Amino acid sequence: FVLTQGPRFASGLPARFLLAFLYSAIPLAALAIVAGGHWRALFRPLRGVDALWMIGFALLNIAVTLLVGQITVRVMDTTANSAIAGVGHMAGSDRLAFFALTGIQLFGEEIMSTLPFLALMYWLCGRGGIGRKTAIAIATLIVALLFAAEHLPTYHWNVLQTLMGVGVARIVLLLPYLMTKNLLVSAGTHILNDWIFFGISNLAAATAHDP
């Protein structure tokens, strides 16, 4: 609601930053109400090796995304991500604001994926008596579906494209959290991944305008 309906009630760059912040703050506040101070368990101090995890998984996801993208364009009509396509045509200050804004929003996307994953793990393992590996597989697939559904408006409700592209990417982007149990690492991976795509779009636009 914050991301889709919020702009109807507030406009301008400060309002957009506020809405992006609320996207992370609302679920964290809800978690704090339920779990008290234990919400901090999502975040651990970053170590030097965590930067390698971020870079490695970001590059892995880029490779997977490009592979899935090649398959997708061969089997169906696809819709471009307007955010990625448009960043190359922004002015310098607008581009910096866009990168900062998306960084905050992508952090929220990790929260909105990790919390349902952990809730499903608690229910499947604790209440359902399902083994941990099976629970991880089920929870990951459900979260991937939810994450893809969240991006349907971005791709003009192209369901199959969104499931193949965004859903598969969500599975890869969940791996850093599974490896480190640190949401900061998975968020850093996600931000780095998308910023690379934005940067490529910016470079391509700049090259196209060169004489």
Side-chain angles (χ1 to χ4, degrees), residues 117-118 120-122 124-126 128-140 177-181:
F117 173 81
L118 293 175
L120 286 165
M121 285 294 296
Y122 172 78
L124 292 170
C125 292
I130 297 176
R132 186 173 183 274
K133 290 182 179 180
T134 303
I136 288 175
I138 295 173
T140 298
Y177 182 80
L178 293 176
M179 296 294 296
T180 65
K181 304 299 187 294

Side-chain angles (χ1 to χ4, degrees), residues 71-93:
I71 297 173
T72 303
V73 297
R74 292 177 182 273
V75 300
M76 72 182 76
D77 293 329
T78 58
T79 303
N81 186 322
S82 58
I84 294 178
V87 67
H89 303 286
M90 295 179 178
S93 58

Side-chain angles (χ1 to χ4, degrees), residues 44-96:
R44 299 184 179 186
L46 289 172
R47 307 162 298 168
V49 70
D50 291 329
L52 298 179
W53 284 119
M54 293 180 196
I55 295 171
F57 278 112
L59 294 177
L60 173 63
N61 190 59
I62 289 171
V64 171
T65 299
L66 293 176
L67 176 60
V68 173
Q70 287 295 318
I71 297 173
T72 303
V73 297
R74 292 177 182 273
V75 300
M76 72 182 76
D77 293 329
T78 58
T79 303
N81 186 322
S82 58
I84 294 178
V87 67
H89 303 286
M90 295 179 178
S93 58
D94 292 337
R95 192 178 300 121
L96 289 175

